[in-house]
Amino acid sequence: MKYTGWKIISDEFENGNRQSKDALFTVGNGYFGIRGFFEENGEAAVGNGGIYVAGIVGKGFHKSYTGKSRELCNIANIFRVRLSVNGNGINGTEVSDFSRTLDMKNAVYSRRYIWNNSVALEFSRFADMADVHRVGQKIVVKSLTDNNKIDLYALIDTDVVNLNKVSCEPLPIQPGRDHITERKIGANSVETVLDDEDCTRLYAAQKVMAFINGKPVGGVAYADSRATGMRYGIVLARDDELVIKKVAAVYTSKYEPDAKEETAAFLRTDIDYDAVFNDSCAEWEKRWNAANVEIKTDTDDDTAVRYNLFELMCACPVHTDKVSIGARGLTGEMYEGCVFWDTEIFQLPFFIYSDPAAARRLLTFRYNTLEQARRYARELRMEAGAQYPWQVSEKGIEQTESSAGFFSVHLMADIAYAIKNYVNASGDDEFLVSMGAEMLIEIARFWEKRSIHSDFDGYYHIMTVRGPNEYSPIVDDNAFTNYMAAQNLLYAVAVADMLESDHPQEYKKLAERIGFCRSEIKKWKDIADNLYVGYDEKKHLVAEYPTYFNRYPFDIKKYKPTAKRILESGTPYDFLYFYQITKQADTVLLMCLLPDLFSDEEKKAAYEYYEPRTVHDSSLSYAPHAWLASRILKTEEAYAYFKQCAYLDINDMKLNAVSGIHFANFGGTWMSLVFGFCGISFENGVLKIDPKLPEKWESVKLNLTCRGENIHIEVSKKGVKAFSLSKDSKIKILCEGNE
Ligand code: BGC
């Protein structure tokens, strides 16, 4: 892989194996996620690519808690190209000078190669950030010899199936299910019906222009029973260049009530590919202005970090709050496109500080699914409050395959924590009044039901939970869960008080609507003050859960010899219960999220005790280790963890990027850099910067959005420079303790 600041470039062709990099080269705009698949022929079964639209799913076939499973659906291939040269279909065998590039500045994915020494080909594509329903594709065929007879079809092809996630290894992925039940093929447009419970109709249309050496050239319309588009039969002389420019649009009946009309309108409109591209670039420029991070270093870290941020922005819905970002974004079918705590704890902070409107939309998704969460709580026989499903569909429905989701209740704390984080950084009290307070009250009620007071020891206990360490599937008093729950309860109390005093009308309406009364608050305070957490006084060590210390030691080196998860190395899941083994950052993460509640001694003790017992079998594990290690001044150890985050997918360190790249980790990369190495925190209008940069970095420059102000920060070995770009800034900035 080559890194050039704004680009990552791979020149490995890897025929047959290349799908492992397809997800890495995804471009998107929150509506589309488009893997870096090859659009030209010769791909047959493996060429189904992966074009996903946020919230568009097909019938699911896995067992889920509610029995209503669904899976992310690979839509019609709007980039399909059939190409032959002198009657020979191009294929993957005569390829030279191959490279594929992700240009992150303009959000373009392109591939070039020479085929059979006769044509130089370039395919590029982008998802339009200015009008998210659109994508652009450009194909360049340059003749390297005389008299090349080109036959090129630029198509929308409905002959697609899902990637088959269970067949991921060995590559290539074998074809999965076909979710299209009906197809109507029109002239440069298709209408397909999906097999989901809504029988979603998906409309796709395209406009294609062709040029030879810059001069427009006509094609003929083409359609068969599955595909439609334009065909160009052309003879190219040596050095002649055929350029195809295409803009395609997609609308769906699930989210766009006028989908059919919108598609017809697109077909009636004159579309200029270059103008569409320029508008998209302008949108990306705005995003990068707010979000870019520059690292001065002689390593590739600057580009690698940018890649992490790029993919986060590609996956973030800009057009709606009806969907959120899945664990694998729109880059693969692992986890069926579902949303987890990954969003609130790992991805959201980046958006909170670079695009608060996007952060608000992501939280609004939780508000939109609150009713489902209430229903879920009742199904689970909880008489009040809301339980958000662990692995949740776009409709707010549980998709976890086992009952494990039911126990992963820290999700409630994570959502409440994220609300507090967002409101603190954005100052968006309106969100708190209109949505946040209601979510917080329902979550506080949930904790009230989930906490049990013991007359034996006088404490409250939260029993039978699965904390972030999923290798201890059912434990009592997981410190992460209990601490976070206590914070939520206290915040819910503060917000209810604020609402009553500052917004009495809204308070009254809400209280009536959800039957809330002040007496509930008293109990919340009592629980928060008396939740039990195991603690070893001598070692200053917080117990992940009280019996953790009594479990058997585990030989990680012996039983997890490779990067593969411990389960894939032959240790049965049920055996893990016996051991002191932590799947991913748990107590370590807690110390990162609530740093003020723990002394430096406790942070150090937690890191030193749990780190050697952690197997990092989740991509969510590395960032908290980098973050905490940097805060306890183990800077180079932190840097080693940071490397694992920043290059996790680029180097396919989890050996599963083929089924989608890891979005929590992308956010984690940002957090370990900003909160870890730069030591940035923001609370109550005070921005603190207390950096400890790794040896390899000379400086870091970044921008943060806090309470509507744009703050520019430069951290270097020589010191810290930070200022607000607002004229009458209200933010107090403390650099290494100095105002
Ligand atoms: C992790 C979870 C995470 C999920 C989706 C699991 O392997 O243990 O914490 O939410 O993956 O990323």
Side-chain angles (χ1 to χ4, degrees):
M1 195 71 73
K2 289 188 201 120
Y3 305 82
T4 67
W6 284 99
K7 290 181 183 164
I8 58 170
I9 304 159
S10 163
D11 51 18
E12 292 161 41
F13 181 60
E14 306 165 297
N15 199 18
N17 240 359
R18 61 183 176 237
Q19 285 170 318
S20 61
K21 285 229 173 62
D22 283 357
L24 187 67
F25 285 91
T26 296
V27 289
N29 58 11
Y31 184 84
F32 289 108
I34 305 157
R35 285 165 67 104
F37 62 88
F38 289 24
E39 54 259 65
E40 60 275 31
N41 43 317
E43 296 289 306
V46 298
N48 291 297
I51 306 175
Y52 305 106
V53 170
I56 296 304
V57 295
K59 184 175 177 199
F61 292 86
H62 71 282
K63 183 166 90 36
S64 80
Y65 178 81
T66 55
K68 277 192 188 173
S69 76
R70 23 60 86 225
E71 63 185 25
L72 204 56
C73 177
N74 186 14
I75 68 158
N77 190 342
I78 45 185
F79 296 100
R80 173 69 89 209
V81 174
R82 283 183 208 148
L83 175 59
S84 64
V85 180
N86 300 322
N88 302 312
I90 56 162
N91 56 40
T93 56
E94 313 288 342
V95 173
S96 56
D97 284 358
F98 175 84
S99 71
R100 49 171 149 177
T101 301
L102 192 62
D103 167 2
M104 297 181 278
K105 188 167 196 151
N106 298 317
V108 178
Y109 165 62
S110 56
R111 286 178 300 114
R112 314 157 168 256
Y113 59 91
I114 291 176
W115 187 72
N116 205 13
N117 292 323
S118 59
V119 283
L121 302 172
E122 183 174 346
F123 300 86
S124 45
R125 65 173 83 131
F126 64 93
D128 182 0
M129 201 42 122
D131 177 343
V132 294
H133 292 278
R134 296 181 183 184
V135 299
Q137 180 188 32
K138 189 170 154 189
I139 307 157
V140 181
V141 182
K142 184 171 178 183
S143 178
L144 302 179
T145 51
D146 294 323
N147 258 342
N148 263 329
K149 199 165 158 268
I150 307 294
D151 196 12
L152 188 151
Y153 298 68
L155 302 173
I156 301 175
D157 189 353
T158 65
D159 195 8
V160 290
V161 292
N162 264 31
L163 304 177
N164 183 350
K165 67 169 186 164
V166 283
S167 82
C168 283
E169 279 181 63
L171 291 164
I173 299 179
Q174 297 309 303
R177 293 187 186 90
D178 177 359
H179 287 294
I180 298 177
T181 57
E182 275 175 48
R183 34 176 68 76
K184 269 194 213 153
I185 307 293
N188 283 300
S189 69
V190 301
E191 179 181 338
T192 52
V193 182
L194 304 180
D195 63 356
D196 62 328
E197 58 177 11
D198 304 303
C199 299
T200 297
R201 282 177 186 272
L202 195 136
Y203 302 84
Q206 66 173 20
K207 298 245 166 176
V208 188
M209 303 282 284
F211 307 85
I212 294 183
N213 301 331
K215 291 208 186 83
V217 56
V220 290
Y222 168 87
D224 59 31
S225 62
R226 303 225 142 194
T228 179
M230 299 299 291
R231 176 178 184 182
Y232 300 90
I234 279 157
V235 177
L236 296 182
R238 188 185 290 261
D239 291 335
D240 275 356
E241 210 172 61
L242 167 67
V243 176
I244 309 286
K245 291 180 178 179
K246 158 166 153 178
V247 177
V250 167
Y251 296 91
T252 72
S253 61
K254 187 162 171 182
Y255 296 113
E256 295 99 34
D258 300 327
K260 194 170 183 172
E261 292 70 38
E262 301 261 21
T263 316
F266 169 81
L267 281 170
R268 283 196 303 271
T269 316
D270 280 339
I271 309 270
D272 173 14
Y273 171 93
D274 295 308
V276 171
F277 179 58
N278 291 339
D279 289 350
S280 178
C281 292
E283 277 303 316
W284 272 99
E285 192 178 355
K286 283 187 215 156
R287 280 174 174 65
W288 282 120
N289 283 343
N292 192 25
V293 172
E294 282 173 65
I295 307 173
K296 202 162 175 206
T297 169
D298 57 10
T299 67
D300 298 315
D301 297 351
D302 177 62
T303 319
V305 167
R306 196 158 294 120
Y307 172 72
N308 286 247
L309 310 185
F310 172 72
E311 288 297 344
L312 274 172
M313 291 191 276
C314 282
C316 182
V318 293
H319 58 294
T320 179
D321 51 30
K322 300 282 184 294
V323 295
S324 180
I325 306 177
R328 301 294 176 96
L330 296 170
T331 69
E333 292 159 21
M334 180 81 190
Y335 296 128
E336 294 81 31
C338 291
V339 174
F340 295 75
W341 70 310
D342 304 34
T343 313
E344 280 74 21
I345 294 298
F346 290 84
Q347 301 161 6
L348 200 74
F350 165 72
F351 292 108
I352 289 178
Y353 288 103
S354 66
D355 186 353
R360 181 179 160 129
R361 278 192 299 273
L362 293 171
L363 286 172
T364 305
F365 168 76
R366 292 297 190 180
Y367 186 72
N368 293 336
T369 51
L370 177 60
E371 201 43 51
Q372 284 294 355
R374 286 192 183 105
R375 213 168 291 157
Y376 189 45
R378 302 301 164 272
E379 279 168 22
L380 299 171
R381 303 293 175 261
M382 203 163 284
E383 281 145 22
Q387 174 157 350
Y388 282 96
W390 171 242
Q391 174 177 343
V392 76
S393 73
E394 72 292 349
K395 291 189 174 172
I397 293 173
E398 180 66 275
Q399 298 287 306
T400 312
E401 296 192 14
S402 67
S403 59
F406 169 58
F407 302 108
S408 294
V409 292
H410 66 84
L411 172 65
M412 270 35 79
D414 306 327
I415 294 173
Y417 177 89
I419 294 172
K420 186 174 181 195
N421 232 352
Y422 166 70
V423 173
N424 166 56
S426 65
D428 184 356
D429 290 338
E430 195 281 322
F431 172 80
L432 206 50
V433 174
S434 61
M435 294 181 254
E438 187 175 343
M439 287 193 266
L440 290 167
I441 290 174
E442 294 295 21
I443 289 174
R445 286 170 157 175
F446 168 84
W447 291 125
E448 187 190 326
K449 292 280 165 234
R450 220 36 180 84
S451 317
I452 291 182
H453 186 265
S454 157
D455 291 339
F456 178 67
D457 63 11
Y459 285 107
Y460 286 91
H461 299 268
I462 301 181
M463 314 289 282
T464 341
V465 305
R466 188 172 74 155
N469 173 11
E470 297 177 359
Y471 287 167
S472 285
I474 299 184
V475 299
D476 299 335
D477 292 321
N478 165 243
F480 181 93
T481 307
N482 288 15
Y483 265 106
M484 294 282 281
Q487 291 307 302
N488 298 171
L489 287 163
L490 296 176
Y491 186 51
V493 171
V495 169
D497 285 350
M498 180 282 288
L499 203 63
E500 191 177 21
S501 63
D502 300 356
H503 304 272
Q505 294 295 335
E506 281 83 357
Y507 176 83
K508 199 165 162 262
K509 270 194 234 151
L510 178 63
E512 275 170 19
R513 187 157 56 78
I514 64 172
F516 170 67
C517 75
R518 279 208 67 84
S519 58
E520 294 182 54
I521 286 182
K522 206 166 151 247
K523 178 96 184 278
W524 297 351
K525 271 192 186 146
D526 194 39
I527 298 171
D529 292 342
N530 296 293
L531 259 180
Y532 182 77
V533 171
Y535 188 69
D536 182 328
E537 300 275 352
K538 271 200 218 125
K539 296 185 180 141
H540 306 283
L541 185 61
V542 173
E544 188 186 293
Y545 51 88
T547 53
Y548 190 98
F549 302 145
N550 305 338
R551 300 211 170 175
Y552 298 97
F554 187 80
D555 189 338
I556 294 179
K557 276 205 189 100
K558 184 164 170 196
Y559 294 113
K560 184 184 150 91
T562 67
K564 279 194 190 285
R565 292 186 309 159
I566 214 157
L567 304 177
E568 287 145 22
S569 312
T571 305
Y573 191 70
D574 298 349
F575 275 34
L576 299 175
Y577 306 180
F578 287 121
Y579 297 104
Q580 286 178 357
I581 176 169
T582 295
K583 178 182 178 190
Q584 64 199 83
D586 187 310
T587 315
V588 162
L589 175 61
L590 170 67
M591 308 262 152
C592 296
L593 298 182
L594 300 173
D596 297 340
L597 299 191
F598 303 100
S599 66
D600 288 348
E601 216 168 17
E602 286 169 327
K603 286 176 192 155
K604 205 160 169 273
Y607 184 89
E608 285 174 357
Y609 181 82
Y610 292 108
E611 193 269 343
R613 291 168 172 80
T614 303
V615 285
H616 308 296
D617 275 359
S618 158
S619 63
L620 278 59
S621 195
Y622 304 108
H625 282 85
W627 178 357
L628 189 63
S630 71
R631 289 296 90 205
I632 56 171
L633 306 182
K634 291 179 186 279
T635 313
E636 294 316 309
E637 205 168 317
Y639 183 59
Y641 271 116
F642 168 83
K643 285 271 194 192
Q644 313 243 49
C645 306
Y647 297 84
L648 185 109
D649 286 310
I650 297 176
N651 293 337
D652 198 6
M653 284 176 355
K654 290 270 139 208
L655 306 175
N656 61 11
V658 66
S659 19
I661 47 182
H662 302 79
F663 282 76
N665 176 67
F666 293 148
T669 298
W670 184 87
M671 291 198 291
S672 56
L673 188 152
V674 174
F675 303 146
F677 294 126
C678 293
I680 293 175
S681 63
F682 180 73
E683 208 160 342
N684 303 323
V686 182
L687 182 82
K688 292 187 189 157
I689 309 167
D690 191 7
K692 193 82 191 133
L693 295 190
E695 205 44 53
K696 295 264 184 202
W697 295 359
E698 222 173 278
S699 64
V700 175
K701 276 191 204 168
L702 57 102
N703 294 309
L704 294 183
T705 307
C706 300
R707 308 238 164 155
E709 293 184 30
N710 194 321
I711 316 278
H712 180 73
I713 300 171
E714 290 180 36
V715 173
S716 76
K717 297 260 161 63
K718 289 184 212 120
V720 181
K721 209 157 86 180
F723 50 89
S724 169
L725 299 180
S726 304
K727 270 198 204 121
D728 48 351
S729 170
K730 295 197 177 53
I731 291 177
K732 183 167 152 183
I733 304 182
L734 291 180
C735 295
E736 296 172 311
N738 304 310
E739 192 166 344

